[in-house]
């Protein structure tokens, strides 16, 4: 069996535990990938988050130095439902400049933020036409259990050292993943 693993929203998503940095989290994730021989994970990057996150560029550099690749996840992590297709395409293009500068590999993989292809057929078709005409492959989500819904509650419970709530969150996370 072959499985592709991707990570959305590089270099930052959600709240941080007290005393932890985004760099520490990135290095821990990369160490786990290495330990389990998980190679060439595509990190779907948001350029705005790279620029706004402390050590955002350094985190991306760590990712690339570990042998992983980058893909496009729009510059601002916007939802096509709330944008015109022209504005959405402009946001994809804005992210390309940084991808061209940083990427050693082909960055022409695209993941729709919120796994949303818009709210009209016209938007969907216009964006897809742009993507395909510019050599992009759409990176589908085939396993999704809304794991991000656990992030902020977990951090809140971790910061309060609420062991009972943490145990419940871990249990329900695994149940949902199954």
């Amino acid at each position: 069996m072959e499985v592709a693993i991707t990570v959305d929203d590089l270099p930052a998503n959600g709240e941080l535990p007290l005393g932890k940095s985004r760099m520490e989290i990135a290095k821990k994730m990369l160490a786990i990938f290495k330990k389990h021989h998980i190679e060439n994970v595509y990190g779907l990057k948001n350029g705005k988050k790279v620029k706004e996150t402390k050590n955002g560029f350094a985190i991306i550099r760590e990712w690339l130095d570990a042998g992983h690749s980058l893909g496009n996840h729009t510059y601002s992590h916007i939802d096509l439902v709330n944008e015109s297709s022209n504005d959405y395409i402009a946001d994809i293009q804005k992210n390309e400049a940084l991808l061209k500068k940083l990427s050693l590999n082909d960055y022409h993989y695209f993941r729709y933020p919120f796994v949303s292809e818009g709210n009209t057929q016209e938007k969907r078709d216009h964006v897809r036409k742009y993507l395909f005409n510019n050599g992009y492959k759409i990176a589908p989500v085939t396993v999704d259990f809304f794991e991000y819904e656990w992030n902020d509650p977990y951090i809140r419970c971790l910061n309060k050292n609420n062991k009972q709530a943490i145990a419940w969150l871990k249990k329900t996370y695994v149940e949902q993943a199954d």
Side-chain angles (χ1 to χ4, degrees):
M1 178 186 333
E2 190 173 61
V3 176
I5 296 176
T6 60
V7 175
D8 288 5
D9 306 333
L10 283 182
N13 185 11
E15 298 298 318
L16 284 171
L18 293 174
K20 295 288 181 186
S21 71
R22 299 263 180 226
M23 182 62 83
E24 288 175 277
I25 292 169
K27 286 184 176 187
K28 185 173 184 179
M29 187 173 15
L30 292 168
I32 290 168
F33 291 157
K34 184 175 183 177
K35 176 182 175 183
H36 294 285
H37 309 285
I38 300 170
E39 299 174 348
N40 201 30
V41 175
Y42 266 82
L44 288 302
K45 179 194 77 60
N46 303 112
K48 184 176 181 181
K49 289 182 183 179
V50 173
K51 291 182 178 183
E52 292 176 349
T53 300
K54 181 180 178 186
N55 296 319
F57 285 99
I59 291 167
I60 296 298
R61 182 57 42 214
E62 287 282 332
W63 186 268
L64 294 169
D65 289 348
H68 300 290
S69 300
L70 295 175
N72 199 329
H73 198 46
T74 72
Y75 181 82
S76 305
H77 199 268
I78 57 176
D79 189 341
L80 185 53
V81 168
N82 302 320
E83 306 292 332
S84 73
S85 57
N86 287 328
D87 288 345
Y88 192 84
I89 290 168
D91 207 61
I92 293 169
Q93 291 170 331
K94 188 173 183 180
N95 208 33
E96 286 177 353
L98 193 54
L99 284 164
K100 286 178 188 173
K101 180 180 172 184
L102 293 171
S103 253
L104 305 174
N105 298 326
D106 180 16
Y107 63 83
H108 286 89
Y109 287 88
F110 181 79
R111 162 96 23 85
Y112 287 89
F114 310 102
V115 195
S116 170
E117 293 188 50
N119 54 344
T120 68
Q121 188 71 39
E122 292 78 19
K123 285 182 181 181
R124 178 187 174 273
D125 292 348
H126 188 211
V127 171
R128 280 186 169 219
K129 182 178 179 184
Y130 169 81
L131 292 170
F132 297 145
N133 285 345
N134 287 277
Y136 276 95
K137 296 173 196 85
I138 296 171
V141 175
T142 55
V143 177
D144 186 8
F145 61 95
F146 305 98
E147 79 291 338
Y148 58 87
E149 295 287 343
W150 278 260
N151 291 355
D152 290 342
Y154 178 76
I155 298 304
R156 281 193 306 273
C157 294
L158 190 66
N159 288 341
K160 292 179 180 180
N161 198 29
N162 186 336
K163 292 178 179 159
Q164 182 179 1
I166 291 169
W168 180 84
L169 285 166
K170 287 180 178 181
K171 177 182 174 288
T172 58
Y173 182 91
V174 170
E175 288 171 353
Q176 187 68 23
D178 283 344

